[in-house]
Amino acid sequence: ERTPRRRAFAMTPQANGSISPVSTLIVDVVGRRVDELVRAAQEERQRADADADASLAPIGATAMEFDDVRLGVHTVVDDTTGKPVRDALDVSIAGVRGGFDGETSATAARALAGAYGDVRPTPNATYDLTLRVRVGEIAKIEDASARRGVIEDIGRLRLAVYGSKLREHLRRLAESGTEGPLDWVPHRPGETMFIKPQHEQVTVVFPMRFADARDAVIANTFLAQFVEVRRGQSALSTAPAVSYHKSPPLELKDAPAGTTNALNANGGYVSFVFFKRHVVPERLEATVWNTMTFYAFVSYHIKYSKAYWHSRMRRKVDEWLMILKRAKKADPNAAKKMTTASGRTFVRTT
């Protein structure tokens, strides 16, 4: 039996409402195939003539995540026989153009899978990287919780692949602190994250661009309050320093000409400053993931705010309609009952 490896990409539990780094598609599809192999192995032990392959149907599942990241899990086909391979699955991923960092991303994916997978020399068509997962080896792990842990590690493929450049800068900061030129990573279509390594710190700058001008107005208010909350609460005193600017900050003065379009931000610029205490080994992966998903975090709150305002307006309109429905129509030509100062009543006709 293979001894389960230590989870190199283990992360702390996510706060309520935050984005999980574990892909639901990968965990569900890979986990289902592993469970099928476990049941098939049990049947083989019980019945020597059990046809274990009968229940293992070919798999072809794809999904699109936020920031235009595509995931695919497919059955491996043997090149010689043309038949599906029972004990392996191909997990593929593709993101925004320029976000894949070549060998650095591939190395991170290999570290993620460990003994249970390897990066294919040539990825499947239209994907940046394909990880061949040895589901048969995962199924041999007898402890169910350990099996689940390995599958969830593989589900963090996006974090490993597209967070590799930022992770490398933060690791250098944790080891010795480095001074270097401005670096950048496209993290969604038309959006670029800039990384500026400095002495004893790393600054990450997000130009916030929104296609809808109304979203940009909401973002200006939200981000200004986001910065104030960090300054005003003592419980957040150890969090990374954050600042918000309407114009490009000084860290972007050396931005190359190829990223000029990325600096046209109608929602302003948000800067995070990371120190060594933020990138210690037990915090590194959470720091990388929270930074990578910051734009999605802001977009979520903008959409949530708009939905909340719309629901409030609809509820108010419903209340007004109820009031109008309860109102009684009065005929202006009908006789009216009047009362005198002494208390006597009479009917006035028109």
Side-chain angles (χ1 to χ4, degrees):
E1 178 190 350
R2 187 183 298 275
T3 303
R5 61 172 175 77
R6 182 179 62 84
R7 299 179 63 190
F9 278 75
M11 295 183 64
T12 55
Q14 297 296 295
N16 186 26
S18 62
I19 304 171
S20 173
V22 181
S23 169
T24 303
L25 174 76
I26 295 176
V27 171
D28 287 351
V29 177
V30 175
R32 186 164 62 248
R33 175 49 56 93
V34 169
D35 291 342
E36 290 173 351
L37 290 174
V38 171
R39 288 194 299 269
Q42 293 173 349
E43 291 177 0
E44 287 178 340
R45 287 194 293 266
Q46 294 172 0
R47 296 185 304 165
D49 59 345
D51 185 5
D53 290 330
S55 61
L56 301 183
I59 290 177
T62 58
M64 178 73 76
E65 292 190 342
F66 62 94
D67 295 344
D68 285 2
V69 172
R70 291 186 296 112
L71 294 169
V73 183
H74 299 86
T75 300
V76 177
V77 178
D78 189 280
D79 295 334
T80 304
T81 63
K83 295 181 178 181
V85 177
R86 173 182 174 183
D87 296 335
L89 287 175
D90 277 348
V91 179
S92 304
I93 189 169
V96 64
R97 183 177 181 182
F100 183 70
D101 195 25
E103 186 57 31
T104 303
S105 296
T107 301
R110 292 190 190 96
L112 179 77
Y116 300 100
D118 196 12
V119 175
R120 304 298 299 160
T122 303
N124 291 344
T126 73
Y127 288 99
D128 292 334
L129 178 141
T130 296
L131 180 68
R132 181 152 295 180
V133 180
R134 303 184 184 96
V135 290
E137 297 297 325
I138 300 176
K140 294 178 182 179
I141 303 175
E142 294 187 357
D143 185 9
S145 61
R147 284 201 306 269
R148 180 72 179 183
V150 172
I151 295 170
E152 288 185 356
D153 274 356
I154 296 171
R156 292 179 171 87
L157 183 63
R158 172 177 180 159
L159 169 61
V161 172
Y162 296 114
S164 59
K165 183 175 287 190
L166 176 60
R167 183 184 298 108
E168 188 64 24
H169 283 290
L170 296 182
R171 278 179 175 167
R172 291 174 186 170
L173 171 65
E175 293 170 357
S176 59
T178 58
E179 191 93 21
L182 182 69
D183 202 353
W184 61 93
V185 182
H187 65 96
R188 57 178 284 119
E191 304 294 337
T192 304
M193 174 179 65
F194 292 90
I195 307 170
K196 176 59 178 176
Q198 298 169 304
H199 183 62
E200 300 292 333
Q201 68 183 46
V202 170
T203 302
V204 178
V205 182
F206 285 92
M208 307 297 293
R209 298 203 315 165
F210 299 92
D212 192 336
R214 292 168 293 186
D215 289 355
V217 173
I218 300 173
N220 287 334
T221 303
F222 173 79
L223 293 172
Q225 292 298 318
F226 182 80
V227 174
E228 291 302 320
V229 169
R230 162 65 177 78
R231 295 173 179 172
Q233 295 189 14
S234 58
L236 300 177
S237 59
T238 58
V242 57
S243 57
Y244 177 60
H245 313 274
K246 294 295 183 66
S247 58
L250 294 177
E251 287 83 3
L252 301 185
K253 65 180 180 179
D254 298 326
T259 60
T260 302
N261 292 334
L263 300 181
N264 299 327
N266 57 356
Y269 302 81
V270 181
S271 301
F272 293 95
V273 180
F274 298 102
F275 299 97
K276 289 187 176 182
R277 67 176 182 271
H278 301 126
V279 294
V280 293
E282 58 270 20
R283 293 183 180 179
L284 177 61
E285 294 305 320
T287 300
V288 172
W289 178 251
N290 290 334
T291 305
M292 287 174 53
T293 57
F294 175 71
Y295 189 96
F297 168 81
V298 175
S299 298
Y300 164 80
H301 281 280
I302 291 175
K303 290 179 173 60
Y304 186 92
S305 299
K306 293 169 70 174
Y308 173 73
W309 296 332
H310 290 167
S311 64
R312 286 286 302 271
M313 288 188 290
R314 285 192 293 268
R315 187 161 56 246
K316 181 59 68 174
V317 170
D318 290 340
E319 292 176 358
W320 289 339
L321 290 176
M322 291 179 61
I323 294 174
L324 292 175
K325 289 178 180 178
R326 289 197 301 264
K328 296 181 179 179
K329 296 181 180 180
D331 185 359
N333 299 321
K336 298 180 180 179
K337 188 175 182 179
M338 310 292 290
T339 304
T340 64
S342 61
R344 299 178 65 182
T345 61
F346 66 94
V347 176
R348 173 180 290 178
T349 59
T350 57

